[in-house]
Amino acid sequence: MSNGGRERRYRAPIWDEPIVMEMGAPGRRGFVPPATDPELAAATGPREDLVPAAMRRAEPPALPELTEFEVQRHYLHLAQETLGMLGVNLFGTCTMKYNPRLGEHLTARPEIAAVHPLQDEDTMQGTLAAIHGLDLILRELSGMDQFVFQAGGGADAAYTNTCVTRAYYAARGELERRDEVITTIQAHPCNAATAAAAGFKVVTLTLEEDGYPSVEQLRAAVSERTAALMVTNPDDMGIYNPHIKEWVEIVHAAGGLCFYDHANFNGVMGKLRARELGFDACMYMLHKTFGAPKGGGGPAVGAYGCAAELVPFLPRPLVRREGGRFRLERDAPQSVGKVREFWGNVPQIVKAYGWARAMGGDGIEAASDLSVLANNYMEDRLLAIRGVTKSHPQIGARRLEMTRYSLGTLTEETGVTVLDVENRMVDYGVDAPWLSHEPWIVPEPFTPEPGELWSIEDIDYWIDTLARVCEEAYADPELVKTAPHEQVIHRLDAARIDDPDYWATTWRAYLRKHGPRDRVPAGASGA
Amino acid sequence: MDHQVDDSGRRRSTVGLVVNPIAGMGGRVGLGGTDGDARLRRARELGAEPAAPRLAALALGRLAPLRDRLTVLVAPGPMGAAVSAGLGLATTVLGAPPAAATSAADSRAAATAIAAAGADLLLFAGGDGTARDIHDAIGGAVPVLGVPAGVKMYSGVFARNAAAAGDAALDFLSAPGPGRLRAAEVVDVDEDADGPGRVRLYGELRVPAERSRLLAAKSRGAGDAEADLDRLAAAVVAEMEPGRLYLLGPGTTIGRIKERLGVDGGPLSVDAVLDRAAVGSGLGEAGLLALLDQHPRASALLGVVGGQGSLLGRGNQQLSAAVLRRLGADNLTVLAAADKLLALQTQRLHVDTGDPEVDRMLSGYRRVRVAPGRTIVIEVGT
Ligand SMILES: Cc1ncc(COP(=O)(O)O)c(C=O)c1O
């Protein structure tokens, strides 16, 4: 996106088309199938009878009638009107990476695309080899003894951990007593949430002067009721807790397990191993750190790894190598069962495997260095912008792959908030920055993360854009407060956003709540 | 709340405005506050300029998007009408002009008149003193929101700044309702006292709960924190042990427990229950000690005061060093909304019982209950 440091013009396309349900005209078709061959019809009977009467609709569904071309055009326009991922995107805590086309080609192959998890193992040895291959790579990076890829995202992997923890103590007859999970206010909220979902009580530690809870605070919190510690390190402010090894020792001494939410792995890849710090389990996000496409909760993968002692409790199946052959271990007596169906998102696993093999050990370490370097380069430039400060400015240590900043000063001085700034940045063709995970302990927060992907020109352009918007905030706050001006839509009226009588997430609900809109002319976009 | 509806089906709203025109004047010339004639005179001599009218106008100006469905109710002259004039908002002036020098009585009269005329929200510009005047005049009858314009603003009723007050008012008026309100403390700071012993809980007002800052992206709103506290209050009541005495401290959080038990001696009162029935209300130190004599197996339930993070020694002095010594540190349960704890200026809670030994006994890391099954660990010190 380099343009010699020059500010670029940007204007998003506006199509202003009706909803697809309102488009089209009776009789239009995308595809007209040929009439049934008479011989075939004679053999099968009337087409209508192929669907049993009880399952047939009394009325045809109320679908719009359009030509294939009209549908294509409409969705292309909608795609052009999306607000993100097309410019420079430094979306913090998400470690934005390019997803190589090669991964798409690999996973489109029939060995992946057409495989069924219940088919004979001998007919899918290649797929199993890829899963096993990534397992070995992650073991090498973490020091753990086994990975499972069933979880559909990072939070799901955290949930896997709470299930494993529960099963572990149940097997030891300690579950009644060990009913507390300790986490920190800066650990990703999924840690507290999944602990609660698994029935644990949640004890949250608060930050102290250094930007993390003190060792003494942890000591005060652990007890014979501690089941587990669940932490993120570095946290989403980029602060690394250097006492983490001592933390693990304290929790172990109290008889608890330790789980490392390793979603923020980019800044420490190849630099440390969770197991060597003493952790019993960890998770990586393949859709974040390992170059696979995003899509939390669904088409993603939280890779959960653990030490040998916990392997009996892992969800099944696991891919095992025996002799020269891969097989699926489909069940185990102490397994927690499944956290999701089958083996997880295999195409994602294959893409991550491809990424890791292409990067190699040295490449992964170099990427880590680059992402920390780029973040610290950004930090020096961003802190020079009027109105920008960083969280916990008193901490001397460098942040790792991201830094939490604050526009609190800008807001105090101009009334322009970080949400306004986000809305204005998109006017320059860069994507709005990530703000903060819950809880919002830093006022007007934002959190860029450059990772290893973006070039220095992209990073500079992003910083220049923020600097310009901050200048605008001081010179002409209304301009920023009324942004975006160059985007597809202006601002949503949020007044009734939590009024269930108003919003509708389906067309049917829309009609029910608002009645039909004025009929739009057939064909829609015309020109 | 009753809302008129205009032709296009949108609600009409009414907002009241009370400006304390002299608020804040003491601060900028280095005087503690502006209450008291002598202080005000001195502030004027030192060249203080009134800032509250400007800040009030800034806040009110943010309501411009509601222009065609908003009525502003104001007191005459500098207490309101002078501020709202020129903003292009439909305005009704209530009452007679105040005397040349406005007083606390004028603030109270204006608030009373606005409440009587039926406002959805009352904006006031001033400091803690003004908040107390509003509290005295109308209590919780009308939701209020403070435009910070005073010297001391320790009460939880103020927005972060004038623009934020206007924005919060706009947000609330666009979709008002009792579910959008939270109780907030009004405090009294004794400026002539030394040290941290100055803050005292004075009462409560209802303010619009700030909705999540990610408003446009998601609408979790204030409901979560409110629901957490309600569920927590229910859990605490359900867990109460038979035969154990529970001392219920002042404040809005513990107020939820009192409400469930039907033992409300008011927001500032320390009450006591045994087997979920009241055995004392509005208790002082002597009453508490007498109850503890009868029922040595006892716990105290405490909230946290405002942005200061005070746990003991501010507004709950009845729970004296002697009472606390009798209870023991392990029998204190602290309850607070997670947001409130995390918003503390320093992530610490303070005790000031007047007895260093008891303060020491209460110091260290303590778990605060924020919802059923959820605690936050926080450092307690002096
Ligand atoms: C540190 C951390 N842990 C867990 C998660 C949750 O992952 P997912 O969104 O895939 O469920 C995230 C998401 O960004 C994260 O940053």
Side-chain angles (χ1 to χ4, degrees):
Chain A
M1 302 271 298
S2 163
N3 199 6
R6 192 163 59 77
E7 177 199 318
R8 297 188 296 264
R9 287 201 50 208
Y10 175 76
R11 181 179 277 277
I14 298 175
W15 292 103
D16 199 20
E17 289 180 8
I19 286 173
V20 72
M21 300 301 288
E22 302 169 299
M23 293 167 71
R28 288 194 193 168
R29 288 290 175 275
F31 172 73
V32 182
T36 316
D37 184 87
E39 253 175 72
L40 199 60
T44 59
R47 210 170 36 177
E48 294 71 28
D49 293 351
L50 291 176
V51 178
M55 295 182 71
R56 250 176 266 154
R57 285 173 181 270
E59 311 241 328
L63 294 173
E65 297 175 74
L66 289 101
T67 66
E68 180 174 324
F69 160 64
E70 287 168 333
V71 174
Q72 282 281 2
R73 181 176 58 187
H74 177 62
Y75 283 98
L76 181 65
H77 290 170
L78 289 184
Q80 290 174 338
E81 289 180 319
T82 58
L83 288 175
M85 314 299 162
L86 295 171
V88 184
N89 188 311
L90 310 184
F91 214 63
T93 83
C94 291
T95 315
M96 303 302 287
K97 301 202 181 193
Y98 177 69
N99 311 132
R101 298 304 301 165
L102 187 61
E104 302 303 322
H105 290 297
L106 283 176
T107 52
R109 291 182 60 87
E111 292 90 336
I112 303 295
V115 100
H116 192 285
L118 295 181
Q119 75 191 49
D120 191 281
E121 286 161 6
D122 284 336
T123 64
M124 48 186 184
Q125 286 291 303
T127 309
L128 297 181
I131 297 173
H132 186 67
L134 184 60
D135 178 11
L136 293 184
I137 290 171
L138 299 190
R139 290 187 205 178
E140 181 64 28
L141 285 167
S142 65
M144 295 295 163
D145 294 314
Q146 175 75 53
F147 273 80
V148 62
F149 302 105
Q150 202 173 68
D156 206 6
Y159 180 64
T160 306
N161 182 67
T162 59
C163 292
V164 167
T165 303
R166 201 170 48 188
Y168 172 80
Y169 287 114
R172 297 163 63 99
E174 288 181 61
L175 188 57
E176 288 287 295
R177 176 160 62 87
R178 296 205 180 261
D179 64 349
E180 289 182 353
V181 168
I182 299 174
T183 184
T184 79
I185 197 67
Q186 272 294 113
H188 188 276
C190 76
N191 292 288
T194 56
F200 291 103
K201 297 191 170 126
V202 180
V203 181
T204 303
L205 308 183
T206 44
L207 307 187
E208 294 177 61
E209 281 70 29
D210 297 326
Y212 43 81
S214 66
V215 167
E216 290 69 39
Q217 189 181 159
L218 175 69
R219 276 217 176 87
V222 296
S223 70
E224 71 290 342
R225 292 178 61 182
T226 305
L229 171 74
M230 294 177 76
V231 283
T232 307
N233 195 31
D235 66 12
D236 76 335
M237 304 194 298
I239 297 175
Y240 183 82
N241 176 352
H243 307 295
I244 197 68
K245 208 166 170 179
E246 195 178 346
W247 276 46
V248 172
E249 284 160 9
I250 290 168
V251 174
H252 279 168
L257 293 172
C258 295
F259 167 71
Y260 196 157
D261 169 356
H262 235 324
N264 300 337
F265 188 46
N266 229 55
V268 295
M269 294 188 292
K271 312 290 179 187
L272 58 83
R273 286 197 177 90
R275 187 73 186 132
E276 285 169 8
L277 293 171
F279 283 95
D280 304 290
C282 72
M283 76 93 169
Y284 298 121
M285 283 158 65
L286 301 188
H287 49 298
K288 193 165 152 176
T289 316
F290 290 85
K294 305 268 188 256
V301 178
Y304 179 76
C306 62
E309 200 183 2
L310 296 178
V311 174
F313 305 101
L314 282 181
R316 294 298 191 274
L318 295 175
V319 177
R320 300 269 185 217
R321 179 171 197 162
E322 273 166 16
R325 188 176 166 278
F326 298 98
R327 74 169 182 88
L328 285 166
E329 182 182 294
R330 292 185 193 270
D331 208 355
Q334 290 181 300
S335 165
V336 299
K338 291 198 161 36
V339 293
R340 202 164 191 274
E341 67 276 19
F342 296 113
W343 330 336
N345 289 306
V346 172
Q348 296 282 81
I349 302 170
V350 172
K351 286 172 189 173
Y353 180 54
W355 181 88
R357 288 289 299 266
M359 293 290 284
D362 292 343
I364 287 176
E365 249 195 276
S368 181
D369 289 339
L370 264 180
S371 63
V372 175
L373 183 65
N375 183 48
N376 282 282
Y377 170 77
M378 282 194 79
E379 189 171 311
D380 286 355
R381 279 206 62 199
L382 286 173
L383 291 177
I385 298 172
R386 183 176 174 199
V388 178
T389 57
K390 80 170 168 177
S391 78
H392 302 81
Q394 78 282 5
I395 305 171
R398 285 274 181 189
R399 304 293 159 97
L400 294 185
E401 83 284 17
M402 57 189 152
T403 302
R404 169 73 36 80
Y405 300 91
S406 169
L407 286 177
T409 309
L410 184 96
T411 307
E412 289 296 317
E413 293 176 356
T414 67
V416 170
T417 68
V418 73
L419 294 178
D420 301 325
V421 168
E422 276 195 305
N423 284 338
R424 182 62 179 151
M425 285 182 80
V426 298
D427 274 346
Y428 293 97
V430 306
D431 295 339
W434 168 259
L435 302 181
S436 169
H437 283 137
E438 296 281 325
W440 287 33
I441 53 181
V442 173
E444 306 298 325
F446 71 100
T447 317
E449 178 187 355
E452 72 271 20
L453 168 66
W454 306 94
S455 67
I456 190 152
E457 298 88 357
D458 285 341
I459 292 172
D460 278 334
Y461 185 70
W462 194 97
I463 297 168
D464 292 344
T465 303
L466 180 72
R468 188 186 162 92
V469 173
C470 290
E471 269 170 39
E472 288 174 349
Y474 282 100
D476 183 2
E478 272 318 294
L479 175 72
V480 185
K481 287 205 80 70
T482 51
H485 303 286
E486 307 290 344
Q487 274 294 350
V488 181
I489 48 170
H490 187 58
R491 279 199 169 187
L492 292 174
D493 175 7
R496 297 179 69 185
I497 199 165
D498 48 9
D499 175 0
D501 290 335
Y502 182 72
W503 45 253
T505 52
T506 66
W507 180 243
R508 241 185 268 183
Y510 182 87
L511 292 178
R512 193 171 63 241
K513 293 174 184 179
H514 299 274
R517 308 203 292 184
D518 292 340
R519 178 84 192 146
V520 246
S525 84
Chain B
M1 254 173 289
D2 210 65
H3 293 285
Q4 293 164 273
V5 172
D6 71 7
D7 297 342
S8 52
R10 291 177 310 182
R11 301 179 181 92
R12 275 207 71 81
S13 306
T14 305
V15 67
L17 176 71
V18 173
V19 181
N20 172 2
I22 58 163
M25 287 174 65
R28 271 166 295 275
V29 289
L31 298 175
T34 326
D35 29 359
D37 288 346
R39 270 215 177 106
L40 176 61
R41 220 174 309 117
R42 183 78 191 115
R44 286 225 167 90
E45 281 164 23
L46 290 168
E49 295 273 348
R54 180 178 57 80
L55 295 168
L58 205 162
L60 201 58
R62 314 286 290 195
L63 300 180
L66 296 177
R67 191 177 286 120
D68 44 348
R69 52 185 167 116
L70 181 73
T71 306
V72 185
L73 302 177
V74 290
M79 298 205 54
V83 167
S84 59
L87 292 175
L89 300 169
T91 303
T92 306
V93 182
L94 304 171
T102 57
S103 67
D106 293 317
S107 297
R108 289 195 290 266
T112 307
I114 288 167
D120 296 307
L121 178 71
L122 172 62
L123 280 174
F124 71 91
D128 282 335
T130 320
R132 290 194 296 275
D133 292 335
I134 303 281
H135 175 269
D136 292 348
I138 62 169
V142 175
V144 305
L145 183 61
V147 178
V151 179
K152 291 274 150 65
M153 289 169 294
Y154 291 99
S155 301
V157 298
F158 294 101
R160 272 172 300 127
N161 53 46
D167 292 344
L170 174 65
D171 185 38
F172 176 72
L173 291 170
S174 304
R180 304 273 324 269
L181 296 171
R182 65 175 171 86
E185 294 130 345
V186 176
V187 298
D188 185 6
V189 179
D190 177 1
E191 287 155 356
D192 296 326
D194 277 338
R198 307 170 302 164
V199 187
R200 189 172 74 80
L201 186 59
Y202 187 82
E204 289 169 21
L205 289 168
R206 290 187 307 149
V207 301
E210 195 174 352
R211 286 203 279 178
S212 166
R213 311 285 278 291
L214 288 170
L215 183 62
K218 55 175 187 176
S219 63
R220 66 186 282 278
D224 286 12
E226 296 290 302
D228 279 350
L229 288 182
D230 265 345
R231 291 189 307 126
L232 180 58
V236 168
V237 169
E239 288 164 15
M240 284 182 165
E241 292 171 27
R244 178 180 278 273
L245 178 74
Y246 290 89
L247 307 180
L248 310 174
T252 59
T253 308
I254 306 301
R256 290 167 194 262
I257 295 172
K258 295 178 181 174
E259 203 179 304
R260 278 177 189 272
L261 294 167
V263 285
D264 203 349
L268 304 181
S269 149
V270 175
D271 304 334
V273 291
L274 184 71
D275 296 327
R276 303 199 181 91
V279 291
S281 189
L283 294 161
E285 182 186 23
L288 289 167
L289 288 172
L291 273 173
L292 286 169
D293 281 341
Q294 286 172 28
H295 310 284
R297 221 156 58 78
S299 301
L301 305 176
L302 290 179
V304 172
V305 176
Q308 315 308 304
S310 171
L311 187 57
L312 282 161
R314 307 286 176 274
N316 53 13
Q317 283 89 341
Q318 308 93 309
L319 294 164
S320 65
V323 171
L324 293 162
R325 213 187 281 269
R326 198 78 78 72
L327 279 165
D330 291 344
N331 291 319
L332 288 187
T333 302
V334 185
L335 291 83
D339 291 4
K340 183 172 176 178
L341 270 190
L342 298 172
L344 294 178
Q345 282 143 8
T346 58
Q347 291 206 351
R348 262 175 136 232
L349 296 180
H350 302 281
V351 289
D352 179 20
T353 63
D355 180 335
E357 205 179 298
V358 172
D359 286 352
R360 243 192 324 277
M361 168 185 98
L362 298 170
S363 293
Y365 295 98
R366 181 172 281 279
R367 292 181 178 198
V368 177
R369 298 187 68 176
V370 298
R374 277 170 51 206
T375 55
I376 289 183
V377 180
I378 194 160
E379 193 175 3
V380 177
T382 47

